[in-house]
Amino acid sequence: MNNYVLSTYYEKYLREVKKLSESSIGHYTQALRKISRMLMEREKIEESIYEVQDIGQLEILKEYLYTEPEFVKLNTKGHQMYSSGLNNYIKFAHGEDFSNYDSETIQLLDIEMPVPDKKAQRLIKYARSSIIKTQSIESAGYKCEFDSEHKTFTSKNTGHWYMEGHHALPMKYQDKFEHSLDVYANVICLCPICHRLLHYGVKDEKENVVNKIYFDRTDRLSASGIKISKKDFMKLVV
């Protein structure tokens, strides 16, 4: 397993969800390796495009490449192989077709992941991916996973009900676990009211939501190397 969670997820997605041939997977990943080297040489990234955790940043890098003469020349010579590889990865990052698959298919992506690096800020925080949150919201069909009947408002960015991604086990507890908490199994799609309830609500009002999350996700968390009893889960979350 490499050091980039999104790289591992992407290849598993291509292989087990999209069921592409090894040849097609090789073309996509080779294109991203070449793109990564080009961006690294221009000091736009440190090592790999997979290190970019924000979709907005990916889109900015895409626009940059499309105006970069060397990339345009390389892409033309390669019969659009590189733009195709980049666009396919960005579609994955947006989670564009995640809602087209049932929950069992998405759960093929539940695997143990290494703990992400810490970021040196005023308070030490673990790196987390807005891409994984976006994909998780997409896979939930823009419905609150506590109560699918909860309605919000239409988001101008997605055209769907506005929803938010929530780490069931907060990232601040990463030190208590051997594997990453920033994984699909630990990210829940919630309406903003349920989300704020979990962050700011009183214990008695949070318990029903937390109970449902635990029972819905305990098997997926375990498959991702996050094994925790209900008692310990409730202690950390409530």
Side-chain angles (χ1 to χ4, degrees):
M1 186 178 292
N2 57 52
N3 292 326
Y4 294 105
V5 168
L6 288 171
S7 170
T8 303
Y9 272 146
Y10 183 50
E11 290 190 31
K12 194 169 181 66
Y13 167 81
L14 294 176
R15 185 171 289 111
E16 299 190 27
V17 177
K18 299 291 285 186
K19 298 189 182 304
L20 298 186
S21 67
E22 291 301 318
S23 174
S24 295
I25 294 170
H27 285 309
Y28 282 132
T29 54
Q30 178 187 345
L32 291 179
R33 283 195 295 272
K34 180 65 177 178
I35 288 169
S36 293
R37 286 195 294 272
M38 186 174 289
L39 291 171
M40 186 173 63
E41 288 168 0
R42 289 156 178 75
E43 299 183 344
K44 300 298 182 182
I45 59 174
E46 292 183 8
E47 289 184 332
S48 170
I49 196 166
Y50 297 117
E51 75 196 36
V52 180
Q53 302 288 305
D54 180 79
I55 291 174
Q57 291 178 23
L58 278 179
E59 295 287 359
I60 289 170
L61 290 174
K62 174 183 173 180
E63 293 303 314
Y64 168 77
L65 286 169
Y66 277 24
T67 59
E68 173 60 41
E70 185 177 340
F71 177 80
V72 174
K73 181 179 179 181
L74 179 71
N75 194 42
T76 301
K77 185 177 179 180
H79 305 286
Q80 278 63 56
M81 166 185 169
Y82 299 99
S83 58
S84 175
L86 179 60
N87 287 331
N88 192 66
Y89 178 66
I90 290 178
K91 285 181 180 179
F92 161 78
H94 277 285
E96 284 191 8
D97 65 350
F98 272 49
S99 61
N100 295 330
Y101 297 101
D102 59 30
S103 60
E104 289 185 4
T105 302
I106 294 298
Q107 286 174 37
L108 294 172
L109 300 176
D110 290 340
I111 54 175
E112 297 175 356
M113 289 292 190
V115 175
D117 293 334
K118 289 181 178 179
K119 288 184 175 180
Q121 300 174 344
R122 240 170 62 183
L123 295 174
I124 295 298
K125 292 184 178 180
Y126 282 95
R128 63 201 66 197
S129 175
S130 67
I131 289 173
I132 289 175
K133 280 191 175 182
T134 299
Q135 294 168 329
S136 297
I137 292 169
E138 179 74 26
S139 69
Y142 295 87
K143 293 180 180 179
C144 177
E145 292 189 79
F146 173 63
D147 187 338
S148 62
E149 296 300 313
H150 286 178
K151 306 299 183 184
T152 59
F153 55 88
T154 304
S155 167
K156 67 179 181 180
N157 291 328
T158 66
H160 296 281
W161 291 114
Y162 175 79
M163 293 287 162
E164 297 174 346
H166 170 74
H167 285 89
L169 286 163
M171 291 294 293
K172 66 182 179 180
Y173 296 127
Q174 180 63 77
D175 286 339
K176 296 179 181 293
F177 298 90
E178 294 181 1
H179 297 96
S180 178
L181 295 180
D182 195 33
V183 292
Y184 295 127
N186 193 43
V187 179
I188 314 295
C189 174
L190 294 174
C191 70
I193 296 298
C194 288
H195 193 192
R196 293 296 171 263
L197 168 64
L198 292 182
H199 283 287
Y200 306 114
V202 297
K203 180 178 178 180
D204 290 347
E205 294 180 9
K206 291 165 64 173
E207 284 184 341
N208 283 342
V209 181
V210 174
N211 266 317
K212 185 175 187 333
I213 290 173
Y214 180 78
F215 285 114
D216 286 351
R217 292 299 180 108
T218 182
D219 289 340
R220 293 189 60 185
L221 288 170
S222 181
S224 300
I226 306 167
K227 298 176 173 62
I228 185 169
S229 68
K230 182 184 176 184
K231 179 181 178 181
D232 288 340
F233 186 87
M234 299 294 283
K235 191 183 299 182
L236 291 179
V237 178
V238 178

